[in-house]
Amino acid sequence: MSVSFPPGFLWGTATAAYQIEGAVREGGRTASIWDTFSRTPGRTENGDTGDIATDHFHRRAEDVRLMADLGVGAYRFSVSWPRVQPTGRGPAVQQGLDFYRGLVDDLLEHGIRPVLTLYHWDLPQELESAGGWPERETAYRFAEYAGIVAGALGDRVDLWTTLNEPWCSAFLGYGSGVHAPGRTDPVAALRAAHHLNLGHGLAVQALRASLPADAQLSISLNPSVVRPLSQSPGDLDAARRIDALANRVFADPLLRGSYPEDLFTDTAPLTDWSFVHDGDTTAIRQPLDWLGLNYYAPALVSAADGGTAERNDGHGASEHSPWPGADAVTFHQPPGERTEMGWSIDPTGLYDLLMTYTHKASGVPLMITENGAACDDKPAADGTVHDPKRIAYLHGHLAAVHRAIADGADVRGYFLWSLLDNFEWSYGYSKRFGAVYVDYETQVRTPKSSARWYAEVARTGALPDTAQGPAESAHRPGVVPTPE
């Protein structure tokens, strides 16, 4: 017996510019921080770069036809900032805008709703050389860029996202250094988090000034479902610290107009937060038409045993932590099945996330803007690619979304990550998240079994009971309460 999603539920898939486009030196595009980072020896697996990626820049029409064949109703893509505004300042490059104009036209021609993300981590290198996100000026430059893209595409795109996963930009890019630009300064990470928040607020203002009144604006966060290993005071405090750094550093100013006081206390040995100016949190707290949430796996934490912390947080290996002020927190690998990323498979985390943000963002519709799994996908002798583990993953997580809707969550859509196998950041081409298999030597695309399965779910709006996901984790510690 299948279960049905609400009428009008938006079924989509998603990508990011640097991960798929290639053509990094064409059309006036200049280097982004990911170009610089990936070309630095030792930064990415096998020295892989996004120079070619899946060559989407040249195969755009083919990829849109592929989406149409799969029957997805929406496509979430990101605009490459250095392709549109190469130095991060001044006028746009029309060739860059023309690529996205063409992409949007192709999508609309095939009945696919474009969902535009302004920033998926590819900061123009010139802005990073001037200080990057730790500097306040970058937030103003981002707002200018937002206005440029709105002026070019606002007549055809009605769903807009400012930032994708600002936590990764701030704390992996400037804290642990496993993402571009590869800096390892905890204070710079906190400064970057604030200026990303400010950039979002200023960009929303710029978008509202340029877009039609019916445009819908959002941000996509990757909140962590933080679970304490036990209910001991030390473990609960460890979860509180990570909740502040992973979640409330963004959600509180966005939704409440203030930063959490316990975050200030936890990080007081590092900074006095004087980079937050009067009026900043008012600028950050702009009305949202919907909120994007990305989910992959929960976090399990405890107080460090004997004061020695271990960091098995799933965010890459580094001697430097992405958790400023939380040096005494240990991250544990939850038990149970895992994806090729080493991330636990636990749909209950997605349910908990949706119910948490139903409360946090009361009255704001939610969308799952990323969810998916990296699997060890290989073509069979006949060229087909079967990925039953991904189907089971999707089934379990979509069942969790349906359960949340039944329990009162206003979830309007789901975007599968990702449409194509692609450049998986510092992991290079070693991890495959795509519903479509890409042979990187020939660029031939082959829809996997999961693509066909997902297309049928999108077509019918119903989740069958024939593809059973992995059993819910037997070890499911309580979710840390969020301070009000």
Side-chain angles (χ1 to χ4, degrees), residues 30 71 116 126 135 177 201 230 255 262 297 301 329 340 383 390 446:
T30 57
L116 187 152
E126 288 201 23
E135 296 302 317
S230 75
L255 301 173
D262 61 323
V301 302
V329 174
E340 285 299 304
R390 182 174 288 104
T446 304

Side-chain angles (χ1 to χ4, degrees), residues 26 47 82 117 221 244 255 275 298 331 359 385 395 399 403 409 426 444 466:
E26 295 186 37
T117 299
L221 304 177
L255 301 173
F275 48 82
F331 287 79
H359 168 68
V385 183
H395 188 279
R403 178 184 163 211
S426 59
V444 170
T466 54

Side-chain angles (χ1 to χ4, degrees), residues 138-206:
T138 305
Y140 293 99
R141 299 284 64 77
F142 181 62
E144 178 185 66
Y145 156 68
I148 288 171
V149 179
L153 298 173
D155 59 334
R156 283 161 287 177
V157 178
D158 67 338
L159 293 177
W160 293 72
T161 300
T162 55
L163 304 171
N164 179 77
E165 298 186 355
W167 184 88
C168 294
S169 297
F171 294 102
L172 300 184
Y174 295 93
S176 66
V178 300
H179 277 195
R183 290 162 61 179
T184 55
D185 179 347
V187 176
L190 294 168
R191 290 174 61 94
H194 174 64
H195 294 135
L196 284 155
N197 282 335
L198 180 61
H200 157 79
L202 297 175
V204 168
Q205 293 176 358

Side-chain angles (χ1 to χ4, degrees), residues 73-104:
Y75 175 51
R76 177 176 175 253
F77 65 96
S78 76
V79 173
S80 168
W81 190 347
R83 194 178 295 287
V84 166
Q85 193 189 31
T87 66
R89 294 181 174 84
V93 171
Q94 290 305 312
Q95 284 179 282
L97 286 174
D98 285 345
F99 171 75
Y100 297 106
R101 290 185 179 108
L103 172 60
V104 169

Side-chain angles (χ1 to χ4, degrees), residues 213-472:
D214 59 353
Q216 298 180 39
L217 308 186
S218 70
I219 185 172
S220 284
L221 304 177
N222 60 318
S224 183
V225 178
V226 186
R227 295 170 173 169
L229 185 65
S230 75
Q231 295 300 302
S232 71
D235 289 359
L236 288 171
D237 188 66
R240 178 200 60 75
R241 283 177 180 267
I242 299 306
D243 180 57
L245 287 165
N247 303 327
R248 290 180 285 123
V249 66
F250 298 107
D252 280 21
L254 288 168
L255 301 173
R256 298 181 177 181
S258 62
Y259 282 100
E261 287 298 325
D262 61 323
L263 175 66
F264 291 162
T265 301
D266 292 343
T267 57
L270 298 170
T271 177
D272 62 3
W273 288 77
S274 58
F275 48 82
V276 179
H277 295 186
D278 289 345
D280 281 3
T281 52
T282 300
I284 293 167
R285 190 188 185 188
Q286 297 295 315
L288 297 174
D289 299 297
W290 55 283
L291 177 63
L293 300 174
N294 298 351
Y295 172 82
Y296 292 96
L300 183 61
V301 302
S302 71
D305 185 14
T308 303
E310 297 180 19
R311 187 170 62 82
N312 191 359
D313 61 5
H315 293 301
S318 173
E319 295 178 359
H320 304 273
S321 173
W323 307 105
D327 294 337
V329 174
T330 286
F331 287 79
H332 301 266
Q333 178 64 258
E337 194 174 6
R338 303 171 192 169
T339 69
E340 285 299 304
M341 295 292 289
W343 300 343
S344 66
I345 299 175
D346 189 349
T348 67
L350 180 53
Y351 172 85
D352 290 342
L353 179 68
L354 290 170
M355 300 314 297
T356 294
Y357 275 82
T358 294
H359 168 68
K360 274 184 179 289
S362 179
V364 179
L366 307 175
M367 286 203 207
I368 301 301
T369 40
E370 285 185 28
N371 178 238
C375 299
D376 185 20
D377 304 319
K378 293 181 175 66
D382 62 359
T384 58
V385 183
H386 298 294
D387 55 342
K389 185 172 180 177
R390 182 174 288 104
I391 293 174
Y393 180 99
L394 296 176
H395 188 279
H397 286 76
L398 286 171
V401 175
H402 187 272
R403 178 184 163 211
I405 293 172
D407 288 346
D410 184 8
V411 187
R412 302 287 180 89
Y414 176 95
F415 289 80
L416 168 64
W417 185 269
S418 174
L419 172 66
L420 303 167
D421 290 336
N422 55 47
F423 176 81
E424 184 50 39
W425 308 113
S426 59
Y427 293 94
Y429 297 99
S430 68
K431 307 296 183 188
R432 293 182 178 269
F433 275 88
V436 175
Y437 184 90
V438 177
D439 182 322
Y440 296 119
E441 295 295 323
T442 65
Q443 294 295 342
V444 170
R445 279 94 157 111
T446 304
K448 304 172 189 176
S449 299
S450 61
R452 303 301 181 191
W453 182 89
Y454 183 66
E456 181 65 11
V457 173
R459 183 186 68 81
T460 62
L463 183 65
D465 61 358
T466 54
Q468 298 299 325
E472 292 189 350

